[in-house]
Amino acid sequence: MSDRKKDHINLALNARTDKSEADTRFYYEPLLAAHHKGEFEPFSFAGKEMRLPVWVSSMTGGTQGAGNINRNLAQACGEFGMGMGLGSCRTLLESDKYMADFDIRKYMGNEVPLYVNLGIAQIEKLVAKKEEEKAEQLAGKLDADGLIIHVNPLQEAFQPEGDSINVPPVETIMAFIQNTSLRVIVKEVGQGMGPESLRQLMELPIEAIEFGALGGTNFTKLELMRRKNKLSSHFASFGNIGHTATEMTEFVNKIAEKYPVKCRQIIISGGISNVIDGYYLTRISKVKSVFGMASAFLEHAGYDYSTLKEFVEQLKNGLGVAMQYLVSKENPNH
């Protein structure tokens, strides 16, 4: 206790809060609850059961080190009750060389959701050739619960090796789901989606939408950085185009109130780097939602499992504190 009091005296001046930095999104209610006990109520999402409203967003493909990262992430999902989307599985359509990097169901158990991942350009080709069953076979090999289709027209446009998208992605998605029994999640890859794209997706019988909003890792910027041609500087401003997770949550709320939507599950991702932001957006969402993170997990998943476990425990504890004491001003009854 003596050491703690000394710390308080020594740190007090540096712990002052600037009123201009106050987070005004919440009512803070310190009298109405005890500390969280650490157990979260299970809930259904994406076809399985989760305990934490946190999604491990797609990040690693078949590259060196991906196997260890995916195994660590899968173990954390099983232990803490999170869902997970694999990184692009395109390479597995052509070869089983990297199969071991993606074969992670045994590390996470069967209770939580796991989704494989293919790009819209690959889905377009499968639909054109009437080979939708290849996506089903891929999901079957990995004992996955469904397929994430990542929609990335700007990334493909600026990627030196990019694929041409010849059909509007929503038409490809509609054609695909008509010929498959797979659960389908559709996501962007760092720039989010506008209200009309969201409306048309929400009117389809898909499992969920993942935002991939502006503010996190931006694959258009990444591809522009890979270009050696100095003329690429003329395209740099495209990396700043898109919609934030907050903006997209507002779009979804308006769409859900106004239109007869079939998809009522969202993964709020893109620039979610802390518990408070994720908690706030799930609280103001008017459809069932979890929040997704990629870079924050990746930062801790490349080491031994104990490093990642400590990070997820901090997420869990932070969520518990938020749930007990923070009430969204925008949606106080949620």
Side-chain angles (χ1 to χ4, degrees):
M1 183 180 293
S2 176
D3 288 344
R4 174 164 59 85
K5 292 300 182 183
K6 287 180 181 178
D7 286 344
H8 286 179
I9 293 170
N10 293 333
L11 297 174
L13 291 177
N14 291 327
R16 290 171 63 87
T17 301
D18 187 334
K19 289 184 287 187
S20 66
E21 297 177 354
D23 191 331
T24 60
R25 296 174 294 180
F26 302 98
Y27 297 115
Y28 166 53
E29 302 290 1
L31 304 184
L32 309 182
H35 278 149
H36 196 269
K37 302 303 182 184
E39 295 300 321
F40 290 77
E41 192 72 26
F43 62 97
S44 61
F45 193 88
K48 285 290 180 70
E49 186 174 274
M50 294 173 60
R51 297 191 304 281
L52 282 186
V54 181
W55 187 270
V56 178
S57 294
S58 307
M59 64 187 90
T60 58
T63 58
Q64 187 174 5
N68 180 59
I69 291 169
N70 283 337
R71 287 187 287 273
N72 282 340
L73 292 171
Q75 186 175 344
C77 286
E79 182 172 351
F80 292 94
M82 303 181 294
M84 179 174 175
L86 290 165
S88 176
C89 302
R90 175 180 182 175
T91 182
L92 300 184
L93 290 176
E94 303 159 1
S95 165
D96 288 345
K97 179 179 179 181
Y98 294 107
M99 184 66 71
D101 291 344
F102 296 93
D103 189 13
I104 58 171
R105 175 59 87 178
K106 55 183 171 288
Y107 300 102
M108 67 193 307
N110 292 318
E111 291 77 21
V112 294
L114 171 68
Y115 278 64
V116 297
N117 180 345
L118 292 172
I120 190 67
Q122 285 75 58
I123 298 299
E124 182 182 296
K125 292 173 183 175
L126 293 181
V127 169
K129 296 178 180 178
K130 301 187 184 303
E131 294 179 342
E132 292 90 348
E133 75 279 357
K134 287 188 175 181
E136 295 176 351
Q137 291 166 2
L138 174 61
K141 285 181 181 179
L142 296 175
D143 197 17
D145 300 298
L147 169 70
I148 292 172
I149 300 175
H150 65 263
V151 179
N152 57 337
L154 288 187
Q155 180 191 7
E156 296 288 8
F158 297 122
Q159 186 180 85
E161 316 87 348
D163 290 305
S164 176
I165 295 174
N166 302 302
V167 178
V170 71
E171 294 181 15
T172 295
I173 294 165
M174 290 172 65
F176 180 78
I177 62 177
Q178 288 173 359
N179 291 291
T180 182
S181 59
L182 283 174
R183 297 176 186 267
V184 171
I185 295 174
V186 178
K187 71 169 302 228
E188 229 280 340
V189 298
Q191 297 188 263
M193 309 177 208
E196 184 59 20
S197 291
L198 285 169
R199 182 189 69 79
Q200 293 197 31
L201 279 181
M202 290 179 73
E203 290 183 349
L204 296 179
I206 59 175
E207 189 70 20
I209 298 168
E210 180 173 0
F211 286 177
L214 192 71
T217 301
N218 185 302
F219 281 86
T220 297
K221 281 191 173 182
L222 187 151
E223 296 300 347
L224 288 170
M225 290 167 64
R226 290 181 62 230
R227 282 174 168 254
K228 307 299 182 183
N229 191 331
K230 292 182 180 178
L231 292 175
S232 64
S233 63
H234 293 283
F235 303 122
S237 57
F238 279 94
N240 299 319
I241 296 295
H243 302 280
T244 66
T246 300
E247 189 179 14
M248 291 182 69
T249 303
E250 292 168 354
F251 291 158
V252 165
N253 285 346
K254 291 177 182 177
I255 293 165
E257 288 181 335
K258 187 175 180 180
Y259 297 96
V261 297
K262 295 179 181 177
C263 174
R264 299 189 67 89
Q265 295 187 129
I266 58 172
I267 301 166
I268 301 170
S269 65
I272 308 297
S273 58
N274 61 71
V275 166
I276 294 296
D277 287 346
Y279 173 75
Y280 169 72
L281 292 174
T282 59
R283 279 299 183 264
I284 68 169
S285 172
K286 295 182 180 178
V287 300
K288 183 184 288 187
S289 62
V290 300
F291 67 89
M293 306 173 86
S295 297
F297 281 111
L298 188 59
E299 183 180 347
H300 299 88
Y303 303 99
D304 55 48
Y305 178 67
S306 62
T307 301
L308 177 62
K309 180 177 179 178
E310 181 180 358
F311 169 69
V312 182
E313 285 177 338
Q314 290 176 4
L315 278 181
K316 178 181 177 181
N317 292 338
L319 273 170
V321 172
M323 289 174 62
Q324 299 300 89
Y325 301 109
L326 304 184
V327 178
S328 163
K329 292 179 180 180
E330 190 169 332
N331 191 11
N333 296 321
H334 187 173

PDB file of all heavy atoms in Angstrom, residues 23-28 280 284 327-332:
ATOM      1  N   ASP A  23     -14.377  12.022 -23.690  1.00  0.00           N
ATOM      2  CA  ASP A  23     -15.189  11.190 -24.584  1.00  0.00           C
ATOM      3  C   ASP A  23     -16.648  11.420 -24.232  1.00  0.00           C
ATOM      4  O   ASP A  23     -17.131  10.979 -23.188  1.00  0.00           O
ATOM      5  CB  ASP A  23     -14.818   9.713 -24.402  1.00  0.00           C
ATOM      6  CG  ASP A  23     -15.428   8.819 -25.471  1.00  0.00           C
ATOM      7  OD1 ASP A  23     -16.504   9.173 -25.993  1.00  0.00           O
ATOM      8  OD2 ASP A  23     -14.844   7.766 -25.773  1.00  0.00           O
ATOM      9  N   THR A  24     -17.347  12.121 -25.094  1.00  0.00           N
ATOM     10  CA  THR A  24     -18.716  12.545 -24.799  1.00  0.00           C
ATOM     11  C   THR A  24     -19.773  11.594 -25.363  1.00  0.00           C
ATOM     12  O   THR A  24     -20.954  11.927 -25.393  1.00  0.00           O
ATOM     13  CB  THR A  24     -18.958  13.956 -25.352  1.00  0.00           C
ATOM     14  OG1 THR A  24     -18.754  13.943 -26.784  1.00  0.00           O
ATOM     15  CG2 THR A  24     -18.009  14.966 -24.713  1.00  0.00           C
ATOM     16  N   ARG A  25     -19.372  10.410 -25.790  1.00  0.00           N
ATOM     17  CA  ARG A  25     -20.324   9.475 -26.385  1.00  0.00           C
ATOM     18  C   ARG A  25     -21.154   8.728 -25.355  1.00  0.00           C
ATOM     19  O   ARG A  25     -22.170   8.123 -25.677  1.00  0.00           O
ATOM     20  CB  ARG A  25     -19.588   8.460 -27.269  1.00  0.00           C
ATOM     21  CG  ARG A  25     -18.894   9.073 -28.464  1.00  0.00           C
ATOM     22  CD  ARG A  25     -18.060   8.036 -29.206  1.00  0.00           C
ATOM     23  NE  ARG A  25     -16.943   7.563 -28.393  1.00  0.00           N
ATOM     24  CZ  ARG A  25     -16.061   6.655 -28.812  1.00  0.00           C
ATOM     25  NH1 ARG A  25     -16.191   6.120 -30.021  1.00  0.00           N
ATOM     26  NH2 ARG A  25     -15.067   6.273 -28.037  1.00  0.00           N
ATOM     27  N   PHE A  26     -20.702   8.752 -24.084  1.00  0.00           N
ATOM     28  CA  PHE A  26     -21.323   7.914 -23.057  1.00  0.00           C
ATOM     29  C   PHE A  26     -21.789   8.721 -21.851  1.00  0.00           C
ATOM     30  O   PHE A  26     -21.229   9.769 -21.524  1.00  0.00           O
ATOM     31  CB  PHE A  26     -20.311   6.877 -22.534  1.00  0.00           C
ATOM     32  CG  PHE A  26     -19.745   5.971 -23.570  1.00  0.00           C
ATOM     33  CD1 PHE A  26     -18.509   6.233 -24.134  1.00  0.00           C
ATOM     34  CD2 PHE A  26     -20.433   4.846 -23.979  1.00  0.00           C
ATOM     35  CE1 PHE A  26     -17.970   5.384 -25.088  1.00  0.00           C
ATOM     36  CE2 PHE A  26     -19.908   3.989 -24.925  1.00  0.00           C
ATOM     37  CZ  PHE A  26     -18.670   4.262 -25.489  1.00  0.00           C
ATOM     38  N   TYR A  27     -22.804   8.191 -21.173  1.00  0.00           N
ATOM     39  CA  TYR A  27     -23.048   8.522 -19.781  1.00  0.00           C
ATOM     40  C   TYR A  27     -22.207   7.551 -18.953  1.00  0.00           C
ATOM     41  O   TYR A  27     -22.259   6.336 -19.165  1.00  0.00           O
ATOM     42  CB  TYR A  27     -24.518   8.336 -19.422  1.00  0.00           C
ATOM     43  CG  TYR A  27     -25.479   9.230 -20.158  1.00  0.00           C
ATOM     44  CD1 TYR A  27     -26.414   8.692 -21.036  1.00  0.00           C
ATOM     45  CD2 TYR A  27     -25.462  10.607 -19.971  1.00  0.00           C
ATOM     46  CE1 TYR A  27     -27.316   9.508 -21.714  1.00  0.00           C
ATOM     47  CE2 TYR A  27     -26.356  11.438 -20.642  1.00  0.00           C
ATOM     48  CZ  TYR A  27     -27.276  10.876 -21.514  1.00  0.00           C
ATOM     49  OH  TYR A  27     -28.155  11.680 -22.187  1.00  0.00           O
ATOM     50  N   TYR A  28     -21.450   8.071 -18.020  1.00  0.00           N
ATOM     51  CA  TYR A  28     -20.690   7.218 -17.108  1.00  0.00           C
ATOM     52  C   TYR A  28     -21.495   7.079 -15.821  1.00  0.00           C
ATOM     53  O   TYR A  28     -21.763   8.058 -15.130  1.00  0.00           O
ATOM     54  CB  TYR A  28     -19.321   7.844 -16.825  1.00  0.00           C
ATOM     55  CG  TYR A  28     -18.587   7.224 -15.659  1.00  0.00           C
ATOM     56  CD1 TYR A  28     -18.382   5.843 -15.590  1.00  0.00           C
ATOM     57  CD2 TYR A  28     -18.085   8.014 -14.621  1.00  0.00           C
ATOM     58  CE1 TYR A  28     -17.719   5.269 -14.530  1.00  0.00           C
ATOM     59  CE2 TYR A  28     -17.413   7.446 -13.549  1.00  0.00           C
ATOM     60  CZ  TYR A  28     -17.234   6.083 -13.507  1.00  0.00           C
ATOM     61  OH  TYR A  28     -16.569   5.510 -12.439  1.00  0.00           O
ATOM     62  N   TYR A 280     -18.772   1.025 -28.340  1.00  0.00           N
ATOM     63  CA  TYR A 280     -19.704   2.102 -28.685  1.00  0.00           C
ATOM     64  C   TYR A 280     -20.487   1.773 -29.953  1.00  0.00           C
ATOM     65  O   TYR A 280     -21.719   1.899 -29.991  1.00  0.00           O
ATOM     66  CB  TYR A 280     -18.935   3.412 -28.878  1.00  0.00           C
ATOM     67  CG  TYR A 280     -19.765   4.520 -29.494  1.00  0.00           C
ATOM     68  CD1 TYR A 280     -20.770   5.147 -28.765  1.00  0.00           C
ATOM     69  CD2 TYR A 280     -19.545   4.933 -30.809  1.00  0.00           C
ATOM     70  CE1 TYR A 280     -21.537   6.153 -29.323  1.00  0.00           C
ATOM     71  CE2 TYR A 280     -20.306   5.935 -31.374  1.00  0.00           C
ATOM     72  CZ  TYR A 280     -21.301   6.549 -30.632  1.00  0.00           C
ATOM     73  OH  TYR A 280     -22.070   7.538 -31.192  1.00  0.00           O
ATOM     74  N   ILE A 284     -24.630   1.283 -30.509  1.00  0.00           N
ATOM     75  CA  ILE A 284     -25.542   2.147 -31.268  1.00  0.00           C
ATOM     76  C   ILE A 284     -26.128   1.421 -32.480  1.00  0.00           C
ATOM     77  O   ILE A 284     -27.069   1.908 -33.102  1.00  0.00           O
ATOM     78  CB  ILE A 284     -24.868   3.455 -31.718  1.00  0.00           C
ATOM     79  CG1 ILE A 284     -23.773   3.205 -32.773  1.00  0.00           C
ATOM     80  CG2 ILE A 284     -24.315   4.225 -30.535  1.00  0.00           C
ATOM     81  CD1 ILE A 284     -23.270   4.481 -33.437  1.00  0.00           C
ATOM     82  N   VAL A 327     -22.910   3.931 -20.714  1.00  0.00           N
ATOM     83  CA  VAL A 327     -24.195   3.883 -21.410  1.00  0.00           C
ATOM     84  C   VAL A 327     -24.129   4.827 -22.604  1.00  0.00           C
ATOM     85  O   VAL A 327     -23.855   6.021 -22.439  1.00  0.00           O
ATOM     86  CB  VAL A 327     -25.354   4.307 -20.479  1.00  0.00           C
ATOM     87  CG1 VAL A 327     -26.670   4.287 -21.236  1.00  0.00           C
ATOM     88  CG2 VAL A 327     -25.414   3.388 -19.263  1.00  0.00           C
ATOM     89  N   SER A 328     -24.358   4.298 -23.787  1.00  0.00           N
ATOM     90  CA  SER A 328     -24.340   5.130 -24.975  1.00  0.00           C
ATOM     91  C   SER A 328     -25.440   6.196 -24.910  1.00  0.00           C
ATOM     92  O   SER A 328     -26.609   5.893 -24.666  1.00  0.00           O
ATOM     93  CB  SER A 328     -24.546   4.259 -26.221  1.00  0.00           C
ATOM     94  OG  SER A 328     -24.912   5.044 -27.330  1.00  0.00           O
ATOM     95  N   LYS A 329     -25.061   7.439 -25.107  1.00  0.00           N
ATOM     96  CA  LYS A 329     -26.054   8.522 -25.120  1.00  0.00           C
ATOM     97  C   LYS A 329     -27.007   8.382 -26.299  1.00  0.00           C
ATOM     98  O   LYS A 329     -28.172   8.772 -26.220  1.00  0.00           O
ATOM     99  CB  LYS A 329     -25.350   9.878 -25.184  1.00  0.00           C
ATOM    100  CG  LYS A 329     -24.565  10.243 -23.939  1.00  0.00           C
ATOM    101  CD  LYS A 329     -23.879  11.585 -24.092  1.00  0.00           C
ATOM    102  CE  LYS A 329     -23.095  11.949 -22.846  1.00  0.00           C
ATOM    103  NZ  LYS A 329     -22.405  13.266 -22.986  1.00  0.00           N
ATOM    104  N   GLU A 330     -26.500   7.816 -27.390  1.00  0.00           N
ATOM    105  CA  GLU A 330     -27.303   7.704 -28.593  1.00  0.00           C
ATOM    106  C   GLU A 330     -28.353   6.605 -28.499  1.00  0.00           C
ATOM    107  O   GLU A 330     -29.438   6.710 -29.085  1.00  0.00           O
ATOM    108  CB  GLU A 330     -26.391   7.462 -29.799  1.00  0.00           C
ATOM    109  CG  GLU A 330     -27.084   7.555 -31.140  1.00  0.00           C
ATOM    110  CD  GLU A 330     -26.094   7.564 -32.297  1.00  0.00           C
ATOM    111  OE1 GLU A 330     -24.944   8.014 -32.101  1.00  0.00           O
ATOM    112  OE2 GLU A 330     -26.475   7.125 -33.384  1.00  0.00           O
ATOM    113  N   ASN A 331     -28.027   5.544 -27.769  1.00  0.00           N
ATOM    114  CA  ASN A 331     -28.957   4.427 -27.640  1.00  0.00           C
ATOM    115  C   ASN A 331     -28.927   3.913 -26.201  1.00  0.00           C
ATOM    116  O   ASN A 331     -28.449   2.817 -25.923  1.00  0.00           O
ATOM    117  CB  ASN A 331     -28.566   3.314 -28.617  1.00  0.00           C
ATOM    118  CG  ASN A 331     -29.627   2.237 -28.744  1.00  0.00           C
ATOM    119  OD1 ASN A 331     -30.753   2.403 -28.271  1.00  0.00           O
ATOM    120  ND2 ASN A 331     -29.287   1.127 -29.369  1.00  0.00           N
ATOM    121  N   PRO A 332     -29.441   4.713 -25.255  1.00  0.00           N
ATOM    122  CA  PRO A 332     -29.278   4.398 -23.830  1.00  0.00           C
ATOM    123  C   PRO A 332     -29.989   3.134 -23.363  1.00  0.00           C
ATOM    124  O   PRO A 332     -29.664   2.601 -22.312  1.00  0.00           O
ATOM    125  CB  PRO A 332     -29.848   5.635 -23.124  1.00  0.00           C
ATOM    126  CG  PRO A 332     -30.765   6.261 -24.122  1.00  0.00           C
ATOM    127  CD  PRO A 332     -30.150   5.976 -25.466  1.00  0.00           C
TER     128      PRO A 332
END
